[in-house]
Amino acid sequence: MKRFNSLSLQQKLWLAISAFLVLAVLLLYTVAVYIYENIYISHVEQRLLQEGMNIAEKYDGGALTDSFRNTVSFINDISDTEIVLVNNPRELSACLPFEVDHHSVISEAERQQLLSGKTVTKKGYEQTFDRQIVGIIIPLLDEHRLMGILYLYVPLASIEDVLERIQTFVMVGGSLFLFITVFVGRKIAMHFTKPLQHMQQAAYRVSQGDFSVHVDVETEDEIGQLAKAFNQMAHALAKEDERKKEFLANVSHELRTPLSYVKGYSEALLDGIVKDEEQQKKYMKLIHREASRMQRLVRDLLDLAQLEGTYPLVRTPFSIAQLIEETMEKYEPLLQEKRIHLSLDVDHDLVVDGDPDRIEQVLQNLLDNALRYTPSGGNISLWTVNKHPMCELVISDSGQGMSKQDIERLGERFFRTDRSRSREHGGTGLGIAIVKQIVKLHGGSIRFESEQGKGTTAYVQLPLYDES
């Protein structure tokens, strides 16, 4: 078993096909033997019985007449069946073409069976004749007296010859057929296993980090579909590897600048280069600002990692209008500071099925972006729409907007639409990625519409609470 398991798939297929063909040839031979030894012999037996009964019907009773004997003799001449007519079993030794003991041809039990009017069947190997035969013994009765018997038999030498020819044909033809089929089967096995071998080699290269590997798809069958799936997997792994490298590069870039500021300003303070107290406070504020930036970055990174894992939502029915109003209270000072007008239109009858804390996080991230990119004196509008079974939350601003290319990239980690002023605005570039993941976990959807110079609108759909 271990040796079989160590074989390649191609070798296993080859062996399986060979074994199947050998079994098929043996089964064919067995069926042929069964047909000739059972079905054909049974047919011969029925034919002999019918032929014998037809002859027996010509017997009118009494002693066997010459006319009846001539009739039997004539039928025997034109038939391929050996027919013997005798008055009693003792005459068989004189009628058969070889010496026999009449007691061994017809036993006493069989004689009693004949006296009762029943036929006797002989088939198989007959030791007396030293050959295979099929024979029928039919009694000729005059009332209860046995006046004679008809002995019809067919030597099975001809049938054995047929079996020998069949056996020869099966052995020679079967061997040739087996050779051809094994050859073709080997080609078929190679056809099926060759792409699997290529995929095995490609999988090894992928495991070594080479995601550029590609398997040629030559068929549309299951193996071809497997090759397509493998190529898709390799492509997805390549993209994921690229995203991972880009992510690490972005994290390094985002941390490098604040760390350099913190290191430079702290060294200036420690070395006593800055003597002026006001200048020292300024440096301390800069250090605090950059430390806060790193803190927000690490917090957002941890938050996103949790959401992309198996983060459990604490779902409960809640009023989306109440959550919006409570959240907006935190933003009143910022709105007044930037002199931004807020338009609020929410439906208090809408009850959302979700995690209130995470939905509030969605609101805060979207409002932070709206405030960040809306100039002083601008407008922010927020309203809800009942689109059963979903609640649609819409946040629109009159900010600088963005291009179509930027909209398509929203949600990528560390992507910022305003690259030149990103640090001034203080974003980490992870907010929309977090928003999208939270909405996805709720079974909702989010999309953006924007036009440069005319602001941006975010449409968030969340599932309504189903009381049923």
Side-chain angles (χ1 to χ4, degrees):
M1 189 65 182
K2 290 182 178 179
R3 186 175 180 181
F4 179 79
N5 291 334
S6 64
L7 298 176
S8 66
L9 179 60
Q10 179 179 324
Q11 292 172 324
K12 290 179 181 178
L13 282 173
W14 192 13
L15 286 175
I17 293 173
S18 302
F20 173 78
L21 290 173
V22 169
L23 290 176
V25 171
L26 291 176
L27 179 62
L28 178 63
Y29 176 74
T30 303
V31 169
V33 171
Y34 173 81
I35 290 174
Y36 276 93
E37 289 188 353
N38 293 276
I39 298 178
Y40 181 75
I41 291 176
S42 176
H43 172 74
V44 170
E45 178 185 341
Q46 292 296 323
R47 182 174 65 82
L48 289 176
L49 179 61
Q50 184 64 40
E51 187 175 355
M53 296 302 295
N54 290 337
I55 296 174
E57 288 178 357
K58 301 180 185 301
Y59 171 66
D60 297 326
L64 299 180
T65 65
D66 292 339
S67 175
F68 180 70
R69 291 180 183 275
N70 292 333
T71 300
V72 173
S73 177
F74 175 75
I75 295 174
N76 181 53
D77 291 339
I78 64 175
S79 173
D80 58 353
T81 305
E82 295 292 335
I83 305 173
V84 178
L85 174 63
V86 295
N87 290 84
N88 60 67
R90 294 182 179 84
E91 298 178 11
L92 283 175
S93 59
C95 296
L96 292 175
F98 38 81
E99 294 295 326
V100 297
D101 180 4
H102 69 272
H103 291 293
S104 61
V105 175
I106 300 178
S107 64
E108 186 60 32
E110 290 171 341
R111 178 180 177 81
Q112 295 300 320
Q113 187 175 342
L114 293 172
L115 286 171
S116 65
K118 297 180 182 179
T119 61
V120 175
T121 301
K122 296 279 190 175
K123 59 181 176 179
Y125 178 77
E126 185 67 33
Q127 185 174 7
T128 304
F129 296 162
D130 190 23
R131 68 185 66 190
Q132 298 281 343
I133 70 162
V134 174
I136 296 292
I137 304 175
I138 299 175
L140 300 175
L141 297 175
D142 183 14
E143 294 183 354
H144 296 292
R145 291 180 298 170
L146 182 64
M147 302 302 294
I149 62 170
L150 282 170
Y151 196 118
L152 298 90
Y153 73 95
V154 176
L156 294 185
S158 58
I159 297 178
E160 290 178 346
D161 292 341
V162 172
L163 287 177
E164 289 180 2
R165 289 196 295 270
I166 290 177
Q167 183 176 2
T168 303
F169 171 77
V170 169
M171 294 300 294
V172 176
S175 299
L176 181 61
F177 176 73
L178 182 63
F179 174 78
I180 294 174
T181 310
V182 167
F183 177 77
V184 175
R186 185 171 180 272
K187 293 294 184 181
I188 294 174
M190 290 178 64
H191 172 75
F192 283 112
T193 57
K194 187 177 180 180
L196 294 178
Q197 291 173 346
H198 289 168
M199 276 185 274
Q200 179 188 13
Q201 296 168 0
Y204 176 77
R205 289 173 59 185
V206 169
S207 68
Q208 299 301 309
D210 181 9
F211 302 114
S212 63
V213 65
H214 179 82
V215 177
D216 294 332
V217 181
E218 299 177 353
T219 61
E220 292 296 329
D221 56 12
E222 288 79 0
I223 293 180
Q225 296 299 321
L226 178 61
K228 286 183 179 178
F230 180 88
N231 290 334
Q232 292 172 354
M233 180 196 70
H235 180 67
L237 288 174
K239 290 182 66 176
E240 185 62 31
D241 185 63
E242 184 179 349
R243 283 196 294 265
K244 181 179 70 174
K245 291 177 180 177
E246 183 180 358
F247 174 73
L248 292 174
N250 288 332
V251 170
S252 300
H253 175 72
E254 293 293 327
L255 290 174
R256 186 184 297 113
T257 301
L259 282 174
S260 62
Y261 286 158
V262 170
K263 185 175 184 296
Y265 291 142
S266 61
E267 285 179 350
L269 291 173
L270 290 172
D271 294 342
I273 297 175
V274 181
K275 303 295 183 181
D276 184 65
E277 187 174 343
E278 290 297 325
Q279 193 71 12
Q280 288 179 349
K281 288 182 180 180
K282 179 182 177 181
Y283 278 24
M284 292 296 292
K285 288 180 180 179
L286 289 171
I287 292 173
H288 182 268
R289 185 192 70 183
E290 297 303 322
S292 298
R293 187 189 305 279
M294 288 189 292
Q295 186 181 36
R296 289 196 303 272
L297 177 62
V298 172
R299 180 197 62 206
D300 287 348
L301 285 171
L302 292 175
D303 213 8
L304 186 60
Q306 280 185 328
L307 292 170
E308 290 181 343
T310 56
Y311 184 82
L313 295 176
V314 184
R315 302 183 77 125
T316 183
F318 66 93
S319 170
I320 187 67
Q322 182 180 349
L323 180 65
I324 292 172
E325 290 172 348
E326 292 175 354
T327 303
M328 294 310 302
E329 291 177 359
K330 304 175 185 178
Y331 285 87
E332 285 183 2
L334 293 174
L335 293 169
Q336 293 176 3
E337 181 182 343
K338 294 192 67 173
R339 294 180 288 109
I340 293 176
H341 176 262
L342 174 67
S343 175
L344 196 63
D345 181 14
V346 292
D347 186 349
H348 287 81
D349 294 331
L350 296 179
V351 179
V352 169
D353 178 23
D355 189 330
D357 293 335
R358 287 300 181 182
I359 301 303
E360 183 178 3
Q361 190 176 1
V362 170
L363 281 169
Q364 290 178 352
N365 274 295
L366 294 176
L367 287 169
D368 285 344
N369 282 342
L371 283 168
R372 185 175 297 121
Y373 296 108
T374 300
S376 298
N379 298 299
I380 293 178
S381 300
L382 195 155
W383 68 93
T384 58
V385 182
N386 185 354
K387 291 191 174 182
H388 189 80
M390 306 297 285
C391 164
E392 186 171 72
L393 168 64
V394 185
I395 301 176
S396 180
D397 64 63
S398 59
Q400 65 188 40
M402 66 187 81
S403 65
K404 183 179 179 180
Q405 291 78 10
D406 286 343
I407 292 178
E408 293 175 353
R409 294 193 61 188
L410 279 179
E412 292 183 12
R413 297 169 179 175
F414 302 109
F415 173 73
R416 300 185 182 90
T417 58
D418 189 357
R419 299 165 183 79
S420 61
R421 303 176 60 200
S422 59
R423 297 200 176 279
E424 177 187 340
H425 291 162
T428 62
L430 297 172
I432 300 300
I434 292 173
V435 166
K436 284 191 170 183
Q437 194 64 26
I438 292 174
V439 173
K440 179 182 177 182
L441 288 174
H442 279 82
S445 63
I446 183 171
R447 63 184 178 89
F448 296 90
E449 291 181 358
S450 183
E451 188 175 348
Q452 287 183 327
K454 295 185 178 180
T456 302
T457 304
Y459 299 86
V460 180
Q461 288 196 350
L462 298 168
L464 288 170
Y465 175 67
D466 187 3
E467 296 182 358
S468 61

